[in-house]
C-alpha cells in the first residue's frame, strides 16, 4: 500500500502542472480574441492544438488513473466532505470524462464543431434553417454518442452533458426549480406587456463618447472590487472573462457610442466573473479547491454585480451624479427616476443576448426544454423551428418572423455546447438566493451601496463562495451558504419587488 499522503501530494503536483499548461492555452485564447493580427490565425491554431494535445495527454495518462485509484477511499483522506476528498472527487470526474471518450469521437466532434459553426454562420445570414439542419443532425448524433460513452448515474442521457458545465446537477433538479419560475414569469411578462407605464429607453441610445464610457466603466468595476493590479480590461467582439491564474484575470467588453448599457453593464458582468476568479485561493491553483464551483455559480457572481447591485436604485443614487458629469450631453436633462426605469426596462424580444433580467430566464428555459428533447430523441432536429416558434409564442405571446430571430440565433448548438444553456438561468437563481442571505447576514445593503460601499458584500462573497472553490458542488454550496436548497422564491421576490412598482403592477 503506497503512502497515502505522498500519493495525494503527487496527485496535486500533477494537477497543478496540467493546469499550468492549460493556462498557457487560456492566455493564447485571450490574445486571439483581443490582439491577434489576422494573418497569425493559422499559426495560433497550431499552437493551441499542440497545447490542447499535451493537456489531453497529461489528463488521461495511466499514472494519473493509478493515483486516483490509490486515493479512491475518502476515509483515507479526511472523509467525504474534506477538502482533499473534493480534490480527488473532481480529478476523478475529469479523468473519467476524458478517458471514457474514444479518440475517434473526440476528433470527430472537434472537426464537426468547427465546420458546423461555419455552416451556422452562413445559415443564420441566409435565415435558412434547412442549410444548417444536416450539421445540427451530425452534432446531435455525436453528442448523443458522447453522452452514452460518459453515462450518468440517473441514466438520463442529457445529464451526462449537463454535468460537464454544472458538476453533479441533474435534469430533474433543474426542472423542479425552473418549473415554478417559468409559470410565474410568463404571467409577469404578460402583465408588463399590458401595462401602460413604459420607460423611455431612447435616453440610453443618445451620444455616450466611447473613451468616457471606458473610464466610467473602469471606475465602477474598480469600485465594486475588481483588482486592476491582478487583471485588465480590453476590447473584444464577444465579451468574456478569462481567469489565467492567480493574479491574472482578463476581462473584455465592447463599446457602442449610442448604447450605454452594453459596455457599462457588460463590464460589471465580466468584473463580477473576475472578482470570483480573483477570489479563488491562489495556493490551490490547479485543483478543485482553486477552481470555480460551476458555470452556474460563476454566472451568479456576474449577474449579482450586474443586476442585483448594478441595476439597483441604491447603486445609481451613488453613481448617477458622476454619470451626469461624465455624460452631460446625454443625461443632464434626465432624472434619476427616468434613468433607473430605463436601465430596468423589461420587454419581450426575439434575441436572448439582448434580453432583460425577467425575460432572459424564459429564453433559457425554452432552450433547456428543446435541447433535452433533442438529446433524448423525443424531438427530431428537423422539427426544431416549428416547436421553437410554438413554445416562444406560449412564453412571450409572439412568434419569431424568421429562424435567424428564432432557433438559429445562438452559436451554442453548432459548437456542440449542449447542456450549457441552463447554467445561465441557474446563475440568476443562485444570485438571488445568495443575495437574500447576504442581506440577512450584513444588514442594509442598499444603504451601503448608496454610500459607495461595496466591500462588505464582496468580502462576504469571498468568504462564503470564492474561498471554497469547488470543495462543494453547486447544490450543496447553496445549502451551506443559505441554509436551504435552491428555489425559485428569492429570484421571484426580487423581481417582483423591483419590477412591480416600475410598471404599476
Ligand atoms: Co457571464
Amino acid at each position: 500500500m503506497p503512502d497515502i499522503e505522498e500519493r495525494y501530494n503527487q496527485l496535486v503536483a500533477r494537477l497543478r502542472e496540467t493546469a499550468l499548461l492549460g493556462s498557457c492555452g487560456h492566455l493564447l485564447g485571450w490574445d486571439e480574441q483581443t490582439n491577434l493580427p489576422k494573418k497569425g490565425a493559422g499559426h495560433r491554431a497550431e499552437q493551441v492544438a499542440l497545447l490542447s494535445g499535451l493537456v489531453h495527454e497529461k489528463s488521461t495518462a495511466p499514472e494519473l488513473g493509478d493515483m486516483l485509484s490509490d486515493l479512491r477511499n475518502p476515509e483515507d483522506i479526511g472523509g467525504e466532505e474534506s477538502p482533499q476528498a473534493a480534490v480527488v472527487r473532481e480529478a476523478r470526474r475529469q479523468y473519467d470524462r476524458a478517458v471514457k471518450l474514444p479518440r475517434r469521437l473526440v476528433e470527430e466532434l472537434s472537426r464537426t464543431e468547427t465546420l458546423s459553426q461555419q455552416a451556422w454562420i452562413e445559415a443564420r445570414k441566409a435565415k435558412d434553417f434547412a442549410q444548417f439542419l444536416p450539421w445540427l443532425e451530425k452534432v446531435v448524433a455525436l453528442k448523443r454518442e458522447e453522452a452514452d460513452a460518459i453515462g450518468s448515474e440517473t441514466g438520463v442521457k442529457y445529464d451526462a452533458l449537463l454535468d460537464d458545465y454544472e458538476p453533479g446537477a441533474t435534469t430533474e433538479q433543474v426542472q423542479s426549480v425552473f418549473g415554478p419560475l417559468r409559470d410565474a414569469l410568463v404571467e409577469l411578462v404578460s402583465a408588463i406587456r399590458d401595462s401602460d407605464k413604459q420607460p423611455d429607453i431612447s435616453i440610453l441610445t443618445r451620444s455616450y463618447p466611447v473613451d468616457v464610457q471606458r473610464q466610467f466603466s473602469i471606475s465602477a468595476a474598480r469600485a465594486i472590487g475588481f483588482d486592476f493590479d491582478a487583471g485588465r480590461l480590453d476590447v473584444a467582439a464577444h465579451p468574456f472573462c478569462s481567469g489565467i491564474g492567480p493574479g491574472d484575470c482578463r476581462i473584455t467588453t465592447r463599446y457602442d457610442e449610442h448604447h450605454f448599457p452594453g459596455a457599462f453593464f457588460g463590464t460589471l458582468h465580466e468584473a463580477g466573473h473576475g472578482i470570483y476568479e480573483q477570489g479563488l485561493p491562489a495556493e490551490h491553483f490547479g485543483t478543485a479547491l482553486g477552481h470555480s464551483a460551476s458555470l452556474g455559480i460563476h454566472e451568479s457572481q456576474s449577474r449579482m454585480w450586474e443586476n442585483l447591485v448594478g441595476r439597483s436604485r441604491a447603486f445609481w443614487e451613488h453613481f448617477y451624479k458622476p454619470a451626469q458629469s461624465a455624460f452631460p450631453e446625454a443625461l443632464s436633462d434626465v432624472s434619476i427616476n427616468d434613468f433607473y426605469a430605463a436601465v430596468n426596462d423589461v420587454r419581450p424580444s426575439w434575441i436572448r443576448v439582448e434580453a432583460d433580467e425577467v425575460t432572459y430566464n424564459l429564453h433559457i428555459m425554452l432552450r433547456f426544454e428543446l435541447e433535452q428533447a433533442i438529446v433524448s430523441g423525443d424531438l427530431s432536429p428537423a422539427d426544431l423551428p416549428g416547436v421553437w416558434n410554438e413554445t416562444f409564442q406560449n412564453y412571450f405571446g409572439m412568434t419569431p418572423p424568421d429562424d435567424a430571430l428564432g432557433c438559429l440565433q445562438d452559436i451554442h448548438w453548432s459548437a456542440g455546447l449542449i447542456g450549457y444553456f441552463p447554467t445561465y438561468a441557474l446563475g440568476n437563481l443562485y444570485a438571488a438566493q445568495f443575495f437574500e442571505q447576504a442581506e440577512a447576514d450584513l444588514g442594509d445593503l442598499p444603504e451601503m451601496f448608496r454610500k459607495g460601499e461595496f466591500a462588505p458584500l464582496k468580502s462576504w462573497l469571498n468568504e462564503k463562495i470564492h474561498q471554497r472553490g469547488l470543495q462543494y458542488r453547486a447544490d450543496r454550496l447553496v445549502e451551506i451558504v443559505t441554509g436551504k436548497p435552491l428555489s425559485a422564491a428569492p429570484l421571484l421576490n426580487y423581481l417582483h419587488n423591483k419590477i412591480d412598482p416600475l410598471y404599476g403592477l
Side-chain angles (χ1 to χ4, degrees), residues 50-73:
L50 173 64
L51 274 172
S52 353
L54 290 172
V55 168
H56 183 75
E57 212 170 280
K58 274 184 139 350
S59 321
T60 51
E63 307 95 84
L64 178 59
D66 293 342
M67 289 177 200
L68 289 167
S69 80
D70 288 343
L71 294 163
R72 69 188 167 277
N73 185 3

Side-chain angles (χ1 to χ4, degrees), residues 5 46 85 130 164 226 248 250 257 370 414 472 485-486 492:
E5 198 180 321
E46 284 184 43
D164 203 8
F226 183 78
D248 188 357
R250 312 293 174 103
E257 185 191 336
L370 299 192
S414 73
Y472 310 104
L486 182 68
L492 284 170

Side-chain angles (χ1 to χ4, degrees), residues 309 311-319 340 445-452 454:
V309 179
R311 284 187 160 90
S312 72
R313 171 86 203 196
F315 179 91
W316 286 104
E317 281 170 22
H318 178 71
F319 274 105
Y340 171 67
L445 288 175
E447 187 50 35
M448 297 175 203
F449 300 163
R450 233 167 259 136
K451 291 188 281 194
F454 302 100

